[in-house]
Amino acid sequence: AVNEVATQLRAEIIARVEQNLRSFLAVPHQVNQDTFNMVNLGMLNPYQLTPWESFLHHQLQLFRTVSLIGIGNEEREFISLERMAQGEIVVLVAGKETGFDFYRYATNERRERTTVLNTLKNFDPRLRPWYKVAVQVGKPAWCDIYHHFSDKTLILNAVLPLYHPDKSLAGVLQALLRLSEIDKFLRAL
């Protein structure tokens, strides 16, 4: 009888952990879908990225488990907002305004860009693993786990391609989880 109760309890715990993990891992895809919907409604334009900054900041505040939310487009433009390990928000941009160089900015409490933290010459989001996976798969997908290119932490990236009405690629949305966040989540269960 004791073994039966222990087996049943173990099965319930496993089912609960599994359910919580599924919910946790659904968030990045939901973020991408929400952003996709904003594009489809004409509220965001994948080729005018300046207005995206305030939207991405809002999304990052709303979805606390996601570390980074952003877009890269077919014109080599890119914007993402990222929550770093200590909670600070950084803005990552590349495109015409930067001469296609990548800039990573610190922000202040008013969400304004302040210090340039680092740069990378000749950045092209279309060459990043997350962009390539979305193009190859053509639908929402997970990328393989890889090292974040600026802070070298292990990450898991949910991606969603954006298409024009004529079915040509416009860009790729991404929402990123750091594996350390998954670890924290599982430890808290």
PDB file of all heavy atoms in Angstrom, residues 72-88:
ATOM      1  N   GLY A  72      14.751  40.901 -36.476  1.00  0.00           N
ATOM      2  CA  GLY A  72      15.719  41.210 -37.522  1.00  0.00           C
ATOM      3  C   GLY A  72      14.954  41.185 -38.825  1.00  0.00           C
ATOM      4  O   GLY A  72      13.991  40.427 -38.963  1.00  0.00           O
ATOM      5  N   ASN A  73      15.331  42.031 -39.790  1.00  0.00           N
ATOM      6  CA  ASN A  73      14.593  42.020 -41.048  1.00  0.00           C
ATOM      7  C   ASN A  73      15.510  41.758 -42.234  1.00  0.00           C
ATOM      8  O   ASN A  73      16.732  41.672 -42.096  1.00  0.00           O
ATOM      9  CB  ASN A  73      13.755  43.293 -41.222  1.00  0.00           C
ATOM     10  CG  ASN A  73      14.573  44.546 -41.426  1.00  0.00           C
ATOM     11  OD1 ASN A  73      15.687  44.527 -41.967  1.00  0.00           O
ATOM     12  ND2 ASN A  73      14.025  45.675 -40.992  1.00  0.00           N
ATOM     13  N   GLU A  74      14.914  41.650 -43.380  1.00  0.00           N
ATOM     14  CA  GLU A  74      15.644  41.316 -44.603  1.00  0.00           C
ATOM     15  C   GLU A  74      16.517  42.470 -45.112  1.00  0.00           C
ATOM     16  O   GLU A  74      17.307  42.278 -46.015  1.00  0.00           O
ATOM     17  CB  GLU A  74      14.668  40.863 -45.698  1.00  0.00           C
ATOM     18  CG  GLU A  74      14.202  39.430 -45.525  1.00  0.00           C
ATOM     19  CD  GLU A  74      15.326  38.428 -45.714  1.00  0.00           C
ATOM     20  OE1 GLU A  74      15.735  38.189 -46.860  1.00  0.00           O
ATOM     21  OE2 GLU A  74      15.812  37.887 -44.704  1.00  0.00           O
ATOM     22  N   GLU A  75      16.380  43.652 -44.509  1.00  0.00           N
ATOM     23  CA  GLU A  75      17.226  44.779 -44.876  1.00  0.00           C
ATOM     24  C   GLU A  75      18.403  44.928 -43.923  1.00  0.00           C
ATOM     25  O   GLU A  75      19.003  45.986 -43.838  1.00  0.00           O
ATOM     26  CB  GLU A  75      16.392  46.067 -44.926  1.00  0.00           C
ATOM     27  CG  GLU A  75      15.393  46.055 -46.068  1.00  0.00           C
ATOM     28  CD  GLU A  75      14.576  47.337 -46.154  1.00  0.00           C
ATOM     29  OE1 GLU A  75      14.662  48.198 -45.256  1.00  0.00           O
ATOM     30  OE2 GLU A  75      13.840  47.462 -47.146  1.00  0.00           O
ATOM     31  N   ARG A  76      18.712  43.860 -43.183  1.00  0.00           N
ATOM     32  CA  ARG A  76      19.829  43.796 -42.242  1.00  0.00           C
ATOM     33  C   ARG A  76      19.631  44.665 -41.013  1.00  0.00           C
ATOM     34  O   ARG A  76      20.574  44.956 -40.285  1.00  0.00           O
ATOM     35  CB  ARG A  76      21.151  44.185 -42.910  1.00  0.00           C
ATOM     36  CG  ARG A  76      21.670  43.183 -43.889  1.00  0.00           C
ATOM     37  CD  ARG A  76      23.012  43.572 -44.450  1.00  0.00           C
ATOM     38  NE  ARG A  76      24.000  43.815 -43.402  1.00  0.00           N
ATOM     39  CZ  ARG A  76      25.118  44.508 -43.603  1.00  0.00           C
ATOM     40  NH1 ARG A  76      25.397  45.014 -44.777  1.00  0.00           N
ATOM     41  NH2 ARG A  76      25.976  44.687 -42.616  1.00  0.00           N
ATOM     42  N   GLU A  77      18.394  45.072 -40.759  1.00  0.00           N
ATOM     43  CA  GLU A  77      18.130  45.872 -39.575  1.00  0.00           C
ATOM     44  C   GLU A  77      17.718  44.956 -38.425  1.00  0.00           C
ATOM     45  O   GLU A  77      17.160  43.882 -38.645  1.00  0.00           O
ATOM     46  CB  GLU A  77      17.046  46.907 -39.856  1.00  0.00           C
ATOM     47  CG  GLU A  77      17.496  47.920 -40.882  1.00  0.00           C
ATOM     48  CD  GLU A  77      16.450  48.965 -41.149  1.00  0.00           C
ATOM     49  OE1 GLU A  77      15.292  48.591 -41.382  1.00  0.00           O
ATOM     50  OE2 GLU A  77      16.813  50.143 -41.114  1.00  0.00           O
ATOM     51  N   PHE A  78      17.983  45.432 -37.220  1.00  0.00           N
ATOM     52  CA  PHE A  78      17.809  44.590 -36.046  1.00  0.00           C
ATOM     53  C   PHE A  78      17.566  45.482 -34.837  1.00  0.00           C
ATOM     54  O   PHE A  78      18.232  46.506 -34.671  1.00  0.00           O
ATOM     55  CB  PHE A  78      19.094  43.778 -35.864  1.00  0.00           C
ATOM     56  CG  PHE A  78      19.232  43.073 -34.559  1.00  0.00           C
ATOM     57  CD1 PHE A  78      18.615  41.854 -34.345  1.00  0.00           C
ATOM     58  CD2 PHE A  78      19.997  43.617 -33.535  1.00  0.00           C
ATOM     59  CE1 PHE A  78      18.757  41.192 -33.133  1.00  0.00           C
ATOM     60  CE2 PHE A  78      20.145  42.962 -32.329  1.00  0.00           C
ATOM     61  CZ  PHE A  78      19.530  41.747 -32.132  1.00  0.00           C
ATOM     62  N   ILE A  79      16.598  45.095 -34.014  1.00  0.00           N
ATOM     63  CA  ILE A  79      16.436  45.717 -32.701  1.00  0.00           C
ATOM     64  C   ILE A  79      15.949  44.652 -31.733  1.00  0.00           C
ATOM     65  O   ILE A  79      15.080  43.841 -32.067  1.00  0.00           O
ATOM     66  CB  ILE A  79      15.484  46.929 -32.712  1.00  0.00           C
ATOM     67  CG1 ILE A  79      15.495  47.600 -31.332  1.00  0.00           C
ATOM     68  CG2 ILE A  79      14.074  46.542 -33.141  1.00  0.00           C
ATOM     69  CD1 ILE A  79      14.887  48.984 -31.306  1.00  0.00           C
ATOM     70  N   SER A  80      16.542  44.660 -30.558  1.00  0.00           N
ATOM     71  CA  SER A  80      16.116  43.773 -29.475  1.00  0.00           C
ATOM     72  C   SER A  80      16.311  44.502 -28.162  1.00  0.00           C
ATOM     73  O   SER A  80      17.202  45.345 -28.042  1.00  0.00           O
ATOM     74  CB  SER A  80      16.938  42.483 -29.448  1.00  0.00           C
ATOM     75  OG  SER A  80      16.641  41.667 -30.548  1.00  0.00           O
ATOM     76  N   LEU A  81      15.492  44.160 -27.210  1.00  0.00           N
ATOM     77  CA  LEU A  81      15.705  44.608 -25.839  1.00  0.00           C
ATOM     78  C   LEU A  81      15.964  43.369 -25.010  1.00  0.00           C
ATOM     79  O   LEU A  81      15.326  42.330 -25.218  1.00  0.00           O
ATOM     80  CB  LEU A  81      14.504  45.384 -25.305  1.00  0.00           C
ATOM     81  CG  LEU A  81      14.635  46.897 -25.516  1.00  0.00           C
ATOM     82  CD1 LEU A  81      14.496  47.256 -26.972  1.00  0.00           C
ATOM     83  CD2 LEU A  81      13.681  47.646 -24.646  1.00  0.00           C
ATOM     84  N   GLU A  82      16.903  43.513 -24.105  1.00  0.00           N
ATOM     85  CA  GLU A  82      17.341  42.352 -23.335  1.00  0.00           C
ATOM     86  C   GLU A  82      17.423  42.690 -21.854  1.00  0.00           C
ATOM     87  O   GLU A  82      17.944  43.741 -21.478  1.00  0.00           O
ATOM     88  CB  GLU A  82      18.709  41.893 -23.843  1.00  0.00           C
ATOM     89  CG  GLU A  82      19.246  40.676 -23.163  1.00  0.00           C
ATOM     90  CD  GLU A  82      20.502  40.141 -23.835  1.00  0.00           C
ATOM     91  OE1 GLU A  82      21.124  40.860 -24.633  1.00  0.00           O
ATOM     92  OE2 GLU A  82      20.854  38.983 -23.540  1.00  0.00           O
ATOM     93  N   ARG A  83      16.913  41.767 -21.033  1.00  0.00           N
ATOM     94  CA  ARG A  83      17.063  41.869 -19.588  1.00  0.00           C
ATOM     95  C   ARG A  83      18.295  41.058 -19.209  1.00  0.00           C
ATOM     96  O   ARG A  83      18.355  39.857 -19.424  1.00  0.00           O
ATOM     97  CB  ARG A  83      15.830  41.328 -18.858  1.00  0.00           C
ATOM     98  CG  ARG A  83      15.924  41.453 -17.346  1.00  0.00           C
ATOM     99  CD  ARG A  83      14.727  40.869 -16.598  1.00  0.00           C
ATOM    100  NE  ARG A  83      13.468  41.403 -17.059  1.00  0.00           N
ATOM    101  CZ  ARG A  83      12.626  40.766 -17.901  1.00  0.00           C
ATOM    102  NH1 ARG A  83      12.921  39.575 -18.366  1.00  0.00           N
ATOM    103  NH2 ARG A  83      11.493  41.311 -18.264  1.00  0.00           N
ATOM    104  N   MET A  84      19.255  41.731 -18.635  1.00  0.00           N
ATOM    105  CA  MET A  84      20.491  41.066 -18.253  1.00  0.00           C
ATOM    106  C   MET A  84      20.300  40.347 -16.909  1.00  0.00           C
ATOM    107  O   MET A  84      19.278  40.512 -16.245  1.00  0.00           O
ATOM    108  CB  MET A  84      21.637  42.089 -18.172  1.00  0.00           C
ATOM    109  CG  MET A  84      21.860  42.848 -19.488  1.00  0.00           C
ATOM    110  SD  MET A  84      22.091  41.787 -20.928  1.00  0.00           S
ATOM    111  CE  MET A  84      23.672  41.068 -20.556  1.00  0.00           C
ATOM    112  N   ALA A  85      21.297  39.575 -16.502  1.00  0.00           N
ATOM    113  CA  ALA A  85      21.195  38.740 -15.303  1.00  0.00           C
ATOM    114  C   ALA A  85      20.886  39.556 -14.040  1.00  0.00           C
ATOM    115  O   ALA A  85      20.179  39.080 -13.157  1.00  0.00           O
ATOM    116  CB  ALA A  85      22.483  37.943 -15.116  1.00  0.00           C
ATOM    117  N   GLN A  86      21.388  40.783 -13.953  1.00  0.00           N
ATOM    118  CA  GLN A  86      21.141  41.621 -12.769  1.00  0.00           C
ATOM    119  C   GLN A  86      19.859  42.437 -12.882  1.00  0.00           C
ATOM    120  O   GLN A  86      19.564  43.249 -12.027  1.00  0.00           O
ATOM    121  CB  GLN A  86      22.335  42.557 -12.530  1.00  0.00           C
ATOM    122  CG  GLN A  86      23.683  41.876 -12.478  1.00  0.00           C
ATOM    123  CD  GLN A  86      23.745  40.728 -11.485  1.00  0.00           C
ATOM    124  OE1 GLN A  86      23.102  40.760 -10.436  1.00  0.00           O
ATOM    125  NE2 GLN A  86      24.491  39.698 -11.810  1.00  0.00           N
ATOM    126  N   GLY A  87      19.117  42.273 -14.000  1.00  0.00           N
ATOM    127  CA  GLY A  87      17.847  42.962 -14.170  1.00  0.00           C
ATOM    128  C   GLY A  87      17.895  44.213 -15.026  1.00  0.00           C
ATOM    129  O   GLY A  87      16.855  44.758 -15.382  1.00  0.00           O
ATOM    130  N   GLU A  88      19.082  44.697 -15.342  1.00  0.00           N
ATOM    131  CA  GLU A  88      19.172  45.905 -16.162  1.00  0.00           C
ATOM    132  C   GLU A  88      18.743  45.593 -17.604  1.00  0.00           C
ATOM    133  O   GLU A  88      18.902  44.479 -18.072  1.00  0.00           O
ATOM    134  CB  GLU A  88      20.583  46.507 -16.132  1.00  0.00           C
ATOM    135  CG  GLU A  88      21.676  45.661 -16.740  1.00  0.00           C
ATOM    136  CD  GLU A  88      22.294  44.590 -15.837  1.00  0.00           C
ATOM    137  OE1 GLU A  88      21.718  44.262 -14.783  1.00  0.00           O
ATOM    138  OE2 GLU A  88      23.341  44.066 -16.216  1.00  0.00           O
TER     139      GLU A  88
END
